[in-house]
């Protein structure tokens, strides 16, 4: 998976535990260039984990969050 360049998780209901786990694993996907989270229902914990992971994703060029619905609870 370290050579994965695109990851499409749009239209998924990851939940808090799943979303945080995905976000924490993103920094290990060193070649990831495109991450699509469009229309995903992400919660605040997932967004925080994603914000912490993005600075380590040096090859990321596209982060799709269109039509994303974020639940604050």
């Amino acid at each position: 998976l370290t050579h994965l360049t695109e990851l499409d998780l749009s239209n998924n209901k990851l939940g808090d535990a799943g979303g945080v786990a995905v976000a924490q694993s993103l920094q290990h996907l060193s070649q990831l260039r495109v991450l699509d989270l469009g229309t995903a229902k992400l919660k605040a914990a997932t967004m925080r984990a994603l914000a912490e992971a993005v600075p380590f994703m040096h090859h990321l060029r596209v982060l799709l969050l269109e039509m994303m619905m974020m639940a604050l609870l």
Side-chain angles (χ1 to χ4, degrees):
L1 287 176
T2 57
H3 298 303
L4 186 69
T5 59
E6 294 186 23
L7 181 59
D8 183 350
L9 295 174
S10 60
N11 297 312
N12 281 286
K13 295 178 184 176
L14 298 174
D16 270 339
V20 170
V22 167
Q24 289 174 340
S25 66
L26 289 175
Q27 58 188 304
H28 302 291
L29 301 177
S30 59
Q31 300 301 312
L32 192 66
R33 299 178 63 80
V34 178
L35 176 58
D36 186 352
L37 296 171
T39 66
K41 294 182 179 179
L42 304 178
K43 296 193 176 188
T46 301
M47 293 302 294
R48 279 190 294 275
L50 182 61
E52 292 172 3
V54 167
F56 296 99
M57 301 168 67
H58 302 290
H59 292 284
L60 188 68
R61 298 293 177 257
V62 179
L63 175 58
L64 298 170
L65 298 172
E66 64 209 37
M67 296 180 58
M68 185 187 70
M69 298 171 67
M70 186 177 93
L72 295 176
L73 300 176

